[in-house]
Short mmCIF file of all heavy atoms in Angstrom, two decimals:
data_model
loop_
_atom_site.label_atom_id
_atom_site.label_comp_id
_atom_site.label_asym_id
_atom_site.label_seq_id
_atom_site.Cartn_x
_atom_site.Cartn_y
_atom_site.Cartn_z
N ARG A 13 -11.35 5.76 32.27
CA ARG A 13 -11.49 7.24 32.16
C ARG A 13 -12.83 7.61 32.57
O ARG A 13 -13.74 6.88 32.26
CB ARG A 13 -11.14 7.61 30.72
CG ARG A 13 -11.11 9.10 30.49
CD ARG A 13 -11.26 9.43 28.97
NE ARG A 13 -12.62 9.73 28.62
CZ ARG A 13 -12.97 10.11 27.41
NH1 ARG A 13 -12.04 10.27 26.54
NH2 ARG A 13 -14.19 10.41 27.08
N LYS A 14 -12.93 8.76 33.22
CA LYS A 14 -14.24 9.30 33.48
C LYS A 14 -14.77 10.11 32.27
O LYS A 14 -13.97 10.58 31.55
CB LYS A 14 -14.17 10.20 34.76
CG LYS A 14 -13.93 9.47 36.04
CD LYS A 14 -13.98 10.47 37.17
CE LYS A 14 -13.71 9.69 38.53
NZ LYS A 14 -13.74 10.69 39.68
N GLU A 15 -16.08 10.13 32.20
CA GLU A 15 -16.66 10.84 31.01
C GLU A 15 -16.23 12.26 31.17
O GLU A 15 -16.18 12.89 32.19
CB GLU A 15 -18.12 10.83 31.12
CG GLU A 15 -18.67 9.39 30.51
CD GLU A 15 -20.16 9.52 30.32
OE1 GLU A 15 -20.64 10.54 29.79
OE2 GLU A 15 -20.84 8.49 30.51
N GLY A 16 -15.83 12.90 30.02
CA GLY A 16 -15.43 14.29 29.97
C GLY A 16 -13.94 14.54 30.11
O GLY A 16 -13.48 15.67 30.00
N GLN A 17 -13.18 13.51 30.44
CA GLN A 17 -11.75 13.66 30.54
C GLN A 17 -11.03 13.21 29.22
O GLN A 17 -11.40 12.38 28.62
CB GLN A 17 -11.23 12.72 31.65
CG GLN A 17 -11.59 13.20 33.08
CD GLN A 17 -10.95 12.27 34.16
OE1 GLN A 17 -10.73 11.14 33.90
NE2 GLN A 17 -10.90 12.76 35.37
N ASN A 18 -9.92 13.93 28.99
CA ASN A 18 -8.92 13.45 28.04
C ASN A 18 -8.11 12.42 28.64
O ASN A 18 -7.76 12.48 29.79
CB ASN A 18 -8.15 14.65 27.53
CG ASN A 18 -9.00 15.70 26.75
OD1 ASN A 18 -10.14 15.49 26.46
ND2 ASN A 18 -8.42 16.72 26.39
N VAL A 19 -7.57 11.57 27.71
CA VAL A 19 -6.61 10.58 28.22
C VAL A 19 -5.59 10.32 27.08
O VAL A 19 -6.06 10.30 25.87
CB VAL A 19 -7.31 9.28 28.70
CG1 VAL A 19 -8.09 8.58 27.49
CG2 VAL A 19 -6.39 8.29 29.26
N THR A 20 -4.33 10.04 27.47
CA THR A 20 -3.42 9.84 26.42
C THR A 20 -2.79 8.39 26.53
O THR A 20 -2.37 7.91 27.60
CB THR A 20 -2.14 10.79 26.56
OG1 THR A 20 -2.69 12.15 26.27
CG2 THR A 20 -1.12 10.49 25.53
N LEU A 21 -2.78 7.65 25.38
CA LEU A 21 -2.27 6.37 25.27
C LEU A 21 -0.85 6.48 24.64
O LEU A 21 -0.58 7.09 23.69
CB LEU A 21 -3.13 5.52 24.35
CG LEU A 21 -4.49 4.90 24.97
CD1 LEU A 21 -5.36 6.07 25.44
CD2 LEU A 21 -5.12 4.13 23.87
N SER A 22 0.02 5.72 25.25
CA SER A 22 1.51 5.78 24.81
C SER A 22 1.73 4.67 23.88
O SER A 22 1.34 3.52 23.98
CB SER A 22 2.38 5.64 26.07
OG SER A 22 3.72 5.47 25.80
N CYS A 23 2.65 4.97 22.90
CA CYS A 23 3.14 4.02 21.98
C CYS A 23 4.56 4.30 21.65
O CYS A 23 4.90 5.38 21.26
CB CYS A 23 2.36 3.93 20.68
SG CYS A 23 2.96 2.81 19.51
N GLU A 24 5.49 3.34 21.95
CA GLU A 24 6.94 3.52 21.68
C GLU A 24 7.44 2.40 20.94
O GLU A 24 7.12 1.22 21.22
CB GLU A 24 7.74 3.65 23.00
CG GLU A 24 7.19 4.76 24.00
CD GLU A 24 7.85 6.10 23.67
OE1 GLU A 24 8.94 6.11 23.10
OE2 GLU A 24 7.20 7.15 23.98
N GLN A 25 8.31 2.64 19.95
CA GLN A 25 8.93 1.57 19.17
C GLN A 25 10.41 1.77 19.11
O GLN A 25 10.87 2.93 18.94
CB GLN A 25 8.28 1.40 17.76
CG GLN A 25 8.17 2.70 16.90
CD GLN A 25 9.37 2.76 15.95
OE1 GLN A 25 10.25 1.88 15.79
NE2 GLN A 25 9.34 3.77 15.11
N ASN A 26 11.17 0.68 19.09
CA ASN A 26 12.56 0.76 18.96
C ASN A 26 13.04 -0.11 17.74
O ASN A 26 14.18 -0.61 17.75
CB ASN A 26 13.29 0.31 20.15
CG ASN A 26 13.00 -1.10 20.58
OD1 ASN A 26 12.29 -1.84 19.85
ND2 ASN A 26 13.43 -1.59 21.71
N LEU A 27 12.21 -0.09 16.79
CA LEU A 27 12.49 -0.90 15.56
C LEU A 27 13.08 0.08 14.44
O LEU A 27 13.36 -0.40 13.27
CB LEU A 27 11.32 -1.52 14.93
CG LEU A 27 10.58 -2.52 16.00
CD1 LEU A 27 9.21 -2.87 15.55
CD2 LEU A 27 11.49 -3.79 16.14
#
Side-chain angles (χ1 to χ4, degrees):
Chain A
R13 187 195 95 173
K14 291 184 179 179
E15 282 194 36
Q17 285 183 339
N18 292 355
V19 63
T20 298
L21 282 59
S22 170
C23 178
E24 304 276 333
Q25 55 98 358
N26 60 5
L27 300 167

